[in-house]
Amino acid sequence: MSVFLRARPTEWSWARRNGLFLANAIVFLLCFAGMVLAGWRVSEHDAVLHGQAVESLWGFLTSGDFAEATFENWESEFLQMGSYVVLTTFLFQKGSSESKSLDEDAPQDADPREHADDAGAPWPVRRGGLALVLYENSLLILFTVLFAGSVVGHVIGGAAAYNEEQVEHGAGVVSGWQYLGTSQFWFESMQNWQSEFLVITVMVVGTVWLRQRGSSQSKPVAAPHAETGD
């Protein structure tokens, strides 16, 4: 038994080091699976109501409705985080743990070119030039690419779903580009975008006065309300 107890910390060390990623990835997969199954049941119900053939699970996964529902949500999430990355580089909120300090230089603002010889510095920092320019903006680049890809998926899936309804009602179909100009596309987008920025607004302001002990997203519980940053 004593051997087992001594070995256990080593066995769990990888999971402990990556616990935040693992927890979020598992919850994402569970919720995504729930979305697929619930959405499939909804499509079955709608098909029965309209006297149509019930789709297979694969048919639902490749449908415009599923693509539109999935990508319009991903699009808003990537927009939220990409925008937040940019806004927190030059905007401040006094007293918020989500803001850089108003009075002190932030480590994030340090010029990486002065650390090219530091031990353990990432390769782009040591390389300099274009590699460093891309690397020092790589987080924004990532979210921009993911947002753009999600918009494309939303447009393709949304246009397919939109055209199905158009055909059912004897109206003309639209291209993906034309779908971008419809109220339907912007309603689908804005209903998600507004909620994402609402959450960020609540988080930024809430962390001025409220705390969560142990969380990296909160100031220390005893910190003054006016203290800015974490």
Side-chain angles (χ1 to χ4, degrees), residues 161-194:
Y162 183 82
N163 285 332
E164 286 181 11
E165 290 192 10
Q166 290 289 94
V167 170
E168 287 179 6
H169 294 87
V173 299
V174 299
S175 65
W177 185 254
Q178 291 172 321
Y179 180 66
L180 270 172
T182 64
S183 298
Q184 179 68 25
F185 171 80
W186 290 105
F187 173 69
E188 292 166 352
S189 295
M190 293 298 176
Q191 67 176 330
N192 285 292
W193 295 5
Q194 57 85 21

Side-chain angles (χ1 to χ4, degrees), residues 15-29:
R16 184 178 178 85
R17 290 195 305 268
N18 298 280
L20 194 57
F21 161 74
L22 289 172
N24 281 279
I26 290 170
V27 172
F28 161 71
L29 292 174

Side-chain angles (χ1 to χ4, degrees), residues 27-43 57 60-61 65-74:
V27 172
F28 161 71
L29 292 174
L30 291 174
C31 291
F32 189 75
M35 171 188 165
V36 169
L37 295 176
W40 185 31
R41 293 297 300 273
V42 170
S43 72
L57 177 58
F60 171 69
L61 288 174
D65 285 329
F66 178 74
E68 181 273 321
T70 300
F71 287 112
E72 78 169 71
N73 280 282
W74 290 5

